[in-house]
């Protein structure tokens, strides 16, 4: 019963899509356990680029089946549009994609409210993706969410929307926004309902039975541990648990069924949206990294903020993640730099801090302490063996391993599936 979790260990966009893609080769199932269409997972196969937002990236492997788990919030329009986009580009979807009946829906009023709240936050805005993610999760926790299984009966669905409507009308009114009609909302969702209905299953029974049959399952994380609502840089976080704890609640699998956790790291740091970022580069070098790394949001197109690798932040992720294997991505992007810096610890009020603190929203009081490494000039995209990397690149990877206390089993040197150095045997073997 091998269940392998893929989790981002920074602020998202580490390259999870590529890792899922190369591991999905051996997977029978790929399951999303949290988040929604705020994710943007890019996969490039032989030069052809695909960006997945909601459907697990494993869908690109014809032998893998995919589950959108109960922990995911699903925008019906986004789901159907992504299914159609995939089918138009020749990927079979409908017979291989399933959605948990207890996954919550992102309703049209959630999207609207997300934008309204961000506008009202002004200078304190989070920089959300505007997809209604936080509002859908708020309703889930407040116990007035609407779930996939509610799509089975239109009258019951309409009654639920009508029940929650006064709460929203009041809220919209207080924001000075136009009220909305229950019927309009029901009809908007129903436009997509017939295409979604056949996908709805008891995802918990499905995935547990498949694991008990010995099938290989990949749990595909979105975002990253530093955006986790419990462990991230709160309140500049997303509204779910990307950390592996989210796998148990987001798929309904017991913790003992998790066999491995693959952490994904970028060779430097990025974040999109607001929030503290201690090693951020505000100079020309930050702009260079953005250009070289193509650091523009896969979902919103926003420029990503760029900075040096932050061991303090990553140590927090490793502490929470129970990581068994690491993938280091985008090492090639650093080619051409004279020097590369790594933040080894922070100085806060005269104290040395090795693990990211929880209670800070600004960074003025934090002094990052850097170690400087020699850069290398050669491009790396043709390298397939660790020993063939330039000495300085090897030294950099080994130094990171020592600083965070974990081994990089995969080193990625380009966006394509093949541009990868494998230092470990197949992940599923022997589980
Ligand atoms: P995710 O959200 O974690 O799946 O990451 P994104 O897809 O949002 O962002 C990662 C970006 O880096 C994508 O455009 C990938 O195609 C690209 N990428 C992944 N690995 C590498 C790599 O090793 N080198 C380079 N240059 N690009 C990479
Ligand atoms: P992937 O899966 C990077 C960020 C947003 C914002 C915060 C809250 O591609 O790594 P939300 O819309 O979730 O309420 O926004 O979280 N964010 C991401 N940043 N990668 C992502 O996903 C993200 N998903 C959300 O920019 O700062
Ligand atoms: Mg992304």
């Amino acid at each position: 019963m091998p269940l392998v979790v893929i989790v981002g260990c920074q602020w998202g966009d580490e390259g999870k899509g590529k890792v899922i893609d190369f591991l999905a080769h051996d997977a029978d199932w790929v399951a999303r356990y949290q988040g929604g269409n705020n994710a943007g997972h890019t996969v490039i196969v032989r030069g052809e680029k695909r960006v997945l937002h909601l459907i697990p990236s494993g869908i690109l492997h014809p032998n893998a089946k995919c589950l959108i788990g109960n922990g995911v919030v699903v925008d019906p329009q986004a789901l159907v549009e992504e299914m159609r986009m995939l089918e138009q580009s020749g990927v079979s979807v409908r017979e291989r994609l399933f959605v948990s009946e207890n996954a919550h829906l992102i309703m049209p009023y959630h999207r609207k409210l997300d934008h309204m709240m961000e506008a009202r936050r002004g200078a304190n805005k989070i920089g959300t993706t505007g997809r209604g993610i936080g509002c859908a999760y708020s309703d889930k926790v407040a116990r007035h969410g609407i779930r996939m299984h509610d799509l089975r009966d239109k009258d019951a669905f309409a009654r639920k929307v009508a029940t929650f409507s006064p709460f929203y009308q009041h809220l919209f009114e207080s924001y000075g926004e136009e009220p909305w009609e229950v019927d309009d909302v029901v009809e908007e969702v129903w436009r997509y309902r017939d295409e979604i209905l056949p996908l709805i299953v008891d995802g918990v029974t499905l995935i547990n039975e498949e694991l008990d049959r010995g099938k290989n399952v990949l749990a595909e994380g979105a975002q990253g541990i530093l955006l986790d609502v419990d462990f991230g840089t709160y309140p500049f976080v997303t509204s779910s648990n990307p950390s592996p704890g989210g796998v148990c609640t987001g798929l309904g699998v017991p913790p003992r069924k998790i066999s491995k956790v693959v952490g994904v790291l970028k060779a430097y740091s990025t974040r999109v949206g607001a929030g503290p970022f201690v090693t951020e580069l505000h100079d020309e070098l930050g702009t260079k990294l953005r250009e070289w790394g193509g650091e523009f949001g896969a979902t919103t197109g926003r420029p990503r903020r760029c900075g040096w690798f932050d061991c303090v932040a990553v140590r927090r992720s490793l502490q929470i993640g129970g990581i068994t294997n690491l993938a280091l991505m985008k090492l090639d992007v650093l080619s051409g730099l004279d020097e590369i810096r790594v933040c080894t610890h922070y100085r806060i009020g005269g104290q040395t801090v090795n693990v990211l603190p929880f209670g800070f929203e600004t960074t003025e009081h934090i002094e990052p302490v850097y170690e400087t490494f020699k850069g290398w000039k050669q491009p790396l995209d043709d390298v397939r063996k660790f020993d063939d990397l330039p000495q300085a690149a090897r030294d950099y990877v080994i130094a990171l391993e020592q600083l965070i206390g974990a081994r990089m089993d995969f080193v990625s040197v380009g966006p394509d599936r093949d541009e990868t150095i494998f230092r470990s045997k197949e992940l599923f073997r022997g589980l």
Side-chain angles (χ1 to χ4, degrees):
M1 60 167 197
L3 170 58
V4 174
V5 180
I6 315 296
V7 61
C9 290
Q10 289 152 320
W11 288 277
D13 301 327
E14 298 89 350
K16 299 176 292 295
K18 169 169 169 170
V19 175
I20 290 149
D21 177 65
F22 67 65
L23 294 178
H25 186 261
D26 294 326
D28 300 297
W29 284 89
V30 181
R32 277 278 304 269
Y33 57 93
Q34 48 71 232
N37 59 321
N38 49 349
H41 297 172
T42 313
V43 178
I44 300 183
V45 186
R46 285 176 290 279
E48 200 181 329
K49 175 174 166 171
R50 294 234 172 70
V51 183
L52 280 307
H53 298 286
L54 181 58
I55 296 174
S57 313
I59 201 78
L60 300 179
H61 282 269
N63 298 329
K65 291 183 185 164
C66 292
L67 173 69
I68 296 177
N70 59 276
V72 177
V73 284
V74 182
D75 182 327
Q77 180 179 348
L79 176 58
V80 168
E81 284 178 357
E82 199 159 291
M83 281 175 11
R84 290 180 188 162
M85 178 276 290
L86 284 165
E87 284 173 340
Q88 272 160 17
S89 57
V91 179
S92 70
V93 177
R94 282 167 217 261
E95 53 295 354
R96 298 193 290 127
L97 178 65
F98 303 85
V99 185
S100 274
E101 59 189 329
N102 49 343
H104 280 247
L105 295 188
I106 299 179
M107 298 292 284
Y109 45 81
H110 290 137
R111 281 196 305 255
K112 229 172 156 183
L113 186 61
D114 192 352
H115 287 285
M116 283 156 51
M117 290 173 73
E118 277 287 86
R120 295 304 180 287
R121 284 187 189 114
N124 297 322
K125 71 174 191 209
I126 294 164
T128 71
T129 58
R131 302 295 190 263
I133 305 293
C135 302
Y137 277 117
S138 298
D139 272 2
K140 169 178 174 172
V141 177
R143 293 160 295 183
H144 45 86
I146 296 181
R147 300 192 287 176
M148 274 292 157
H149 76 82
D150 293 315
L151 290 177
R152 290 188 175 123
D153 178 335
K154 191 172 185 181
D155 289 339
F157 182 84
R159 277 197 300 277
K160 270 199 182 163
V161 178
T163 310
F164 305 144
S165 164
F167 167 81
Y168 269 99
Q169 303 298 1
H170 189 69
L171 201 61
F172 273 46
E173 201 182 312
S174 73
Y175 276 101
E177 296 285 337
E178 291 288 308
W180 44 263
E181 296 293 330
V182 170
D183 286 352
D184 291 346
V185 165
V186 172
E187 290 311 321
E188 193 175 333
V189 173
W190 233 253
R191 288 223 298 270
Y192 307 102
R193 180 262 190 186
D194 287 354
E195 288 189 59
I196 296 176
L197 199 62
L199 316 180
I200 299 176
V201 292
D202 169 353
V204 176
T205 301
L206 183 152
I207 212 70
N208 278 289
E209 284 184 355
E210 289 295 276
L211 283 166
D212 293 345
R213 273 192 209 116
K215 298 289 183 191
N216 294 335
V217 179
L218 275 186
E220 170 172 343
Q223 292 85 49
I225 295 181
L226 302 176
L227 287 173
D228 187 291
V229 67
D230 282 282
F231 307 117
T233 45
Y234 191 90
F236 301 99
V237 292
T238 193
S239 299
S240 64
N241 291 117
S243 54
V247 175
C248 300
T249 55
L251 292 177
V253 293
R256 68 180 170 79
K257 284 193 179 171
I258 296 178
S259 325
K260 292 203 168 178
V261 182
V262 179
V264 186
L265 286 168
K266 208 178 265 188
Y268 49 97
S269 304
T270 63
R271 112 168 263 178
V272 55
F277 183 179
V278 174
T279 62
E280 183 168 10
L281 285 161
H282 297 279
D283 56 9
E284 203 185 307
L285 203 50
T287 312
K288 262 192 195 164
L289 279 181
R290 184 175 311 120
E291 277 167 18
W292 294 349
E295 297 295 357
F296 295 88
T299 298
T300 57
R302 290 177 293 177
R304 295 175 183 152
R305 300 154 65 195
C306 297
W308 297 120
F309 191 95
D310 183 346
C311 294
V312 184
V314 169
R315 281 187 203 113
R316 178 62 86 187
S317 291
L318 299 193
Q319 183 185 56
I320 293 160
I323 307 293
T324 56
N325 303 77
L326 274 175
L328 184 71
M329 314 302 287
K330 303 188 91 160
L331 186 64
D332 54 300
V333 174
L334 299 178
S335 289
L337 294 174
D338 294 327
E339 288 185 336
I340 301 170
R341 298 172 88 191
V342 173
C343 175
T344 56
H345 57 280
Y346 299 166
R347 300 283 300 165
I348 305 179
Q351 307 269 344
T352 298
V353 173
N354 291 310
V355 178
L356 194 74
F358 287 122
F360 75 107
E361 293 177 24
T362 57
T363 54
E364 299 89 64
H365 60 298
I366 298 178
E367 183 201 338
V369 179
Y370 290 105
E371 200 170 315
T372 301
F373 296 88
K374 224 172 124 224
W376 60 92
K377 297 291 174 197
Q378 305 91 311
L380 305 183
D381 47 317
D382 283 338
V383 179
R384 296 291 174 271
K385 287 197 196 121
F386 190 72
D387 290 341
D388 292 342
L389 284 170
Q391 181 70 46
R394 260 180 292 155
D395 289 347
Y396 179 66
V397 176
I398 290 165
L400 291 185
E401 292 182 329
Q402 284 167 350
L403 284 163
I404 61 174
R407 186 180 144 89
M408 311 290 182
D409 292 300
F410 312 97
V411 178
S412 177
V413 289
D416 208 279
R417 194 185 274 177
D418 300 330
E419 292 169 323
T420 314
I421 298 170
F422 291 90
R423 296 169 79 201
S424 242
K425 295 265 174 284
E426 300 284 328
L427 264 195
F428 287 113
R429 199 167 292 162
L431 293 176

